[in-house]
Amino acid sequence: MFSERDEMYMRRALALAERAMNHATPNPRVGCVIVRDDDVLAEGFTQRPGEAHAEAHAIQQARVKGKSLVGATAYVTLEPCNHFGRTPPCTEALIDAGVARVIVAMQDPNPIVSGRGLERLRAAGIQVRAGLFEREALEVNIGFVKRMRTGLPWVRCKIAATIDGRTGLANGQSQWITGEAARHDGHRWRARACAIATGSGTVRHDDPRLTVRDVETTLPLRQPLRIVFDHLGEIAPSAKVLQDGALVICADKRPIGLADDVEVLSVPNGEGKIDLASALELIGSRGINELHLEAGARLTGPFLQAGLADELLLYLAPKILGLDAREMFSVPQPLSLTDALEFKFERVDPIGDDLRLILRRDH
């Protein structure tokens, strides 16, 4: 059993992990609180890639304050790493600091870490317990966990629609379906993503930048990688989304005239379209934990139909546009209701005058 104080300090560690939400990628977001006799000696969270992990960050803060950590308890939201990467192992930092006990929320799903960090701490004589708020810790790193287990990123499809399921007029006009509060909230979700993707149809109609704007961050703002799925290879070199670099994924026909900082990958499915599953494997191999898809019905639909969309981030505005307006998803009608694509409601929240619905595929 964990005590109320254990729960209190782990909640604080989880809150610290969220401070790494927008900059930790491709690393997991981790928080750490180090306590002795109800005195919080140090706190830390994952810094930018190549910089200190949460445990090392906390230990650094303790040293700056001149505080000894001998005999203390460290609360960490993810199993400390025990291997050399771009930074030294966190297990050794905790051992060298002299902590007596380590409580972790969840075991690291990374195969080169999983369980070995806990074993190393126990071998050094440190008391170790795991499983406190495991579900909450998984939520903070849901994309990292999926990529470690499957090689694929967590795919989140963001859609703004009316209550009759329409995303714009037949002529393409869609700004703005939702209110300012919902649009600002959408940028918060963009900020946590490792990459933001769309289709060439959306680029042609709306010419979006797909950048993060007006979002406060703990460290300087990191712009996610921008990805365009371009089945026909016809994206215009002048498209705003391609400015300052991007990744274009096409099928057989490659777009021409693009700038040197735009990478192009051909991932054909043999039928003149992109092999979406193979494309996601390539994206995951680049350390992309969360892929934020903001696209039209003709790209979002195939992601849903292929079972590649993990989550729907749906903003509903109290408006009606009618039958001829643009739909949310382009998917074939099932033969029966039992064959319908099914999602589960995770959360429903009011955002300004609109509703935000989070739905997930039943894995």
Side-chain angles (χ1 to χ4, degrees), residues 42 56 65 67 95 109 122 165 256 262 286 297 341:
K65 298 175 183 178
K67 293 188 176 182
I95 293 168
R122 291 189 178 106
I256 60 175
V262 177
R286 295 174 175 230
L341 300 177

Side-chain angles (χ1 to χ4, degrees), residues 39-352:
D39 180 19
V40 176
L41 303 173
E43 296 181 336
F45 56 92
T46 308
Q47 301 297 289
R48 286 181 176 274
E51 300 178 5
H53 291 186
E55 302 92 324
H57 185 226
I59 292 169
Q60 290 172 1
Q61 303 309 305
R63 287 173 179 163
V64 169
K65 298 175 183 178
K67 293 188 176 182
S68 169
L69 301 181
V70 173
T73 296
Y75 295 86
V76 191
T77 59
L78 188 70
E79 175 184 3
C81 64
N82 70 320
H83 66 287
F84 281 90
R86 283 179 284 190
T87 59
C90 291
T91 52
E92 304 312 302
L94 291 168
I95 293 168
D96 293 343
V99 301
R101 191 167 69 129
V102 175
I103 296 179
V104 302
M106 69 174 290
Q107 188 169 303
D108 194 330
N110 187 341
I112 65 174
V113 177
S114 189
R116 295 181 177 87
L118 303 183
E119 291 174 2
R120 173 68 183 115
L121 294 173
R122 291 189 178 106
I126 295 175
Q127 298 179 31
V128 177
R129 296 188 66 191
L132 177 58
F133 296 142
E134 182 175 9
R135 176 58 189 266
E136 290 82 351
L138 184 149
E139 284 294 323
V140 174
N141 285 305
I142 196 163
F144 175 79
V145 171
K146 185 189 176 188
R147 183 170 67 84
M148 288 296 106
R149 290 176 176 171
T150 69
L152 303 176
W154 179 267
V155 179
R156 179 179 295 114
C157 300
K158 180 262 183 179
I159 303 165
T162 59
I163 56 173
D164 60 341
R166 302 297 168 174
T167 62
L169 299 179
N171 63 9
Q173 183 181 349
S174 61
Q175 297 181 345
W176 296 102
I177 294 288
T178 55
E180 183 177 353
R183 297 198 297 274
H184 180 76
D185 188 70
H187 276 269
R188 290 179 51 251
W189 288 88
R190 279 187 183 184
R192 67 173 283 168
C194 308
I196 304 173
T198 193
S200 55
T202 298
V203 173
R204 186 167 56 253
H205 286 293
D206 300 335
D207 197 19
R209 287 179 286 172
L210 291 189
T211 54
V212 179
R213 302 182 292 278
D214 301 323
V215 173
E216 293 184 4
T217 58
T218 301
L219 296 179
L221 182 63
R222 169 196 61 86
Q223 288 293 345
L225 171 67
R226 292 172 293 175
I227 301 175
V228 179
F229 289 87
D230 183 17
H231 288 286
L232 300 178
E234 295 180 347
I235 189 169
S238 60
K240 293 177 182 176
V241 71
L242 302 183
Q243 308 311 307
D244 301 318
L247 170 64
V248 175
I249 298 177
C250 61
D252 300 291
K253 183 181 177 182
R254 298 172 66 93
I256 60 175
L258 304 186
D260 292 340
D261 59 356
V262 177
E263 184 180 3
V264 179
L265 292 177
S266 294
V267 192
N269 68 352
E271 300 176 357
K273 294 185 178 181
I274 296 169
D275 184 330
L276 295 178
S278 296
L280 285 184
E281 290 179 4
L282 289 173
I283 290 170
S285 70
R286 295 174 175 230
I288 301 299
N289 297 325
E290 295 184 17
L291 178 67
H292 183 89
L293 180 67
E294 294 191 21
R298 292 185 179 180
L299 181 57
T300 304
F303 265 93
L304 293 173
Q305 189 69 21
L308 299 174
D310 299 290
E311 184 173 270
L312 298 180
L313 174 62
L314 176 58
Y315 295 91
L316 284 183
K319 301 173 183 177
I320 296 174
L321 292 184
L323 289 176
D324 293 330
R326 296 165 68 181
E327 61 189 356
M328 284 196 286
F329 317 118
S330 179
V331 295
Q333 179 176 286
L335 297 177
S336 69
L337 287 177
T338 57
D339 296 323
L341 300 177
E342 291 192 14
F343 283 74
K344 292 184 177 181
F345 286 103
E346 286 288 323
R347 291 195 59 173
V348 178
D349 299 290
I351 304 291

Side-chain angles (χ1 to χ4, degrees), residues 12-22 24 29-32 44-46 77 140-141:
R12 175 56 184 167
L14 287 165
L16 288 166
E18 292 191 357
R19 294 180 64 181
M21 187 69 70
N22 300 339
R29 304 139 175 161
V30 183
C32 176
F45 56 92
T46 308
T77 59
V140 174
N141 285 305

